[in-house]
């Protein structure tokens, strides 16, 4: 049970790295080497600080076997957002292997896959089936349709494969964790500021990129309620 918890934390932090678009752990130069240099901090470091990067960098006690496979499934391959997510996944894999000291054939594989057509529910479910058949030690997924994957999640539970949702989750009780924005709170802030700008009058059109994912439902509902 302890190992499952540690793998959950590992996958959650890998998903955090993915959502931050590759802003992840880097090795710090020796202090002496900084004495005569102007070190410029990555502008995204504040995002990591808010999420406690110490947890991200600590993989001590995670006895993953060399060559273990972790699967990350997104909602799409194209678009700037999902390209940044893939960069984050690749960076998390690199950092993980550095911290565990794995090289060559022993490296942990962390692979990002997604529907060729963004938000294609059927294609994502098929990908989920394929990835589960590879028996990864853990799987992260940005769920396109919150009601479409329950059968696959049941199979994952039977195979003791921990599932972590990122970007968009579901109400499935077996998810180990969900890594995402507080969708309701962010939508309320936007609605409040927009309402002030309009001084309480006028009409607003809400355009959501889909009607099936949990995160979009939360955003739209919270936005309308706040208005």
């Amino acid at each position: 049970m302890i190992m499952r918890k540690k793998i959950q934390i590992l996958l959650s932090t890998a998903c955090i790295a993915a959502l931050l678009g590759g802003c992840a752990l880097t090795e710090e130069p020796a202090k002496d080497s900084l004495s005569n240099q102007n070190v410029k901090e990555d502008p995204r470091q504040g995002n990591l600080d808010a999420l406690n990067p110490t947890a991200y960098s600590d993989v001590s006690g995670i006895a993953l076997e060399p060559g273990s496979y972790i699967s990350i499934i997104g909602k799409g391959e194209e678009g700037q957002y999902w390209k940044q997510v893939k960069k984050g996944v690749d960076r998390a894999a690199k950092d993980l292997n550095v911290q565990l000291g794995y090289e060559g054939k022993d490296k942990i594989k962390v692979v990002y896959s997604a529907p060729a057509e963004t938000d294609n529910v059927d294609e994502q479910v098929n990908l989920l089936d394929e990835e589960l058949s590879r028996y990864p030690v853990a799987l992260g997924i940005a769920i396109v349709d919150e009601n479409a994957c329950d059968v696959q999640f049941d199979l994952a539970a039977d195979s003791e494969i921990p599932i972590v949702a990122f970007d968009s989750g579901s109400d499935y009780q077996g998810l180990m964790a969900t890594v995402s924005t507080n969708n309701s709170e962010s939508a309320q802030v936007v609605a409040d500021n927009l309402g002030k700008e309009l001084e309480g009058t006028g009409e607003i059109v809400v355009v959501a990129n889909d009607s099936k994912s949990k995160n979009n439902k939360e955003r739209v509902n919270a936005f309308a309620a706040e208005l």
Side-chain angles (χ1 to χ4, degrees):
M1 194 68 180
I2 294 175
M3 183 53 61
R4 281 171 60 84
K5 181 67 173 178
K6 284 182 173 290
I7 291 176
Q8 171 195 335
I9 294 172
L10 169 66
L11 186 54
S12 295
T13 51
C15 288
I16 289 170
L19 287 172
L20 293 178
C23 178
L25 176 69
T26 56
E27 295 184 16
E28 294 184 1
K31 289 186 178 180
D32 290 344
S33 68
L34 300 179
S35 57
N36 296 317
Q37 298 180 28
N38 293 321
V39 179
K40 186 176 180 180
E41 184 179 81
D42 191 301
R44 296 168 295 182
Q45 183 60 45
N47 295 337
L48 275 177
D49 292 339
L51 292 164
N52 188 358
T54 302
Y56 177 78
S57 63
D58 181 14
V59 295
S60 59
I62 300 178
L64 286 175
E65 294 184 5
S68 293
Y69 181 75
I70 297 174
S71 175
I72 306 292
I73 301 175
K75 293 182 179 180
E77 294 180 350
E78 297 302 318
Q80 189 62 28
Y81 177 80
W82 293 111
K83 288 178 180 178
Q84 289 299 312
V85 167
K86 185 181 185 304
K87 286 183 180 179
V89 170
D90 293 341
R91 182 58 182 272
K94 179 180 177 181
D95 292 339
L96 173 62
N97 282 301
V98 168
Q99 291 297 306
L100 293 178
Y102 288 161
E103 299 179 347
K105 295 186 300 182
D106 291 341
K107 283 186 175 181
I108 305 298
K109 284 189 70 176
V110 186
V111 176
Y112 177 85
S113 57
E117 180 186 345
T118 302
D119 293 334
N120 187 309
V121 178
D122 292 338
E123 191 176 353
Q124 189 185 60
V125 172
N126 289 337
L127 276 173
L128 181 56
D129 284 329
E130 292 174 11
E131 291 299 301
L132 289 176
S133 71
R134 295 183 171 93
Y135 292 97
V137 295
L139 185 144
I141 182 170
I143 303 170
V144 174
D145 183 341
E146 64 173 330
N147 300 310
C149 302
D150 288 3
V151 171
Q152 284 73 20
F153 292 161
D154 285 339
L155 293 173
D158 291 340
S159 300
E160 297 187 342
I161 299 172
I163 302 288
V164 169
F166 72 97
D167 179 78
S168 183
S170 79
D171 291 326
Y172 182 82
Q173 296 300 307
L175 292 177
M176 301 296 290
T178 299
V179 181
S180 72
T181 303
N182 185 324
N183 296 297
S184 295
E185 182 177 330
S186 59
Q188 288 168 353
V189 170
V190 172
D192 185 52
N193 289 329
L194 184 57
K196 290 177 180 177
E197 287 294 321
L198 294 176
E199 298 181 347
T201 63
E203 296 181 338
I204 296 173
V205 176
V206 179
V207 181
N209 64 306
D210 72 72
S211 60
K212 299 182 177 69
S213 63
K214 185 177 181 182
N215 61 339
N216 273 312
K217 290 178 181 178
E218 289 176 344
R219 291 169 186 167
V220 172
N221 292 338
F223 182 86
E226 184 68 12
L227 282 179

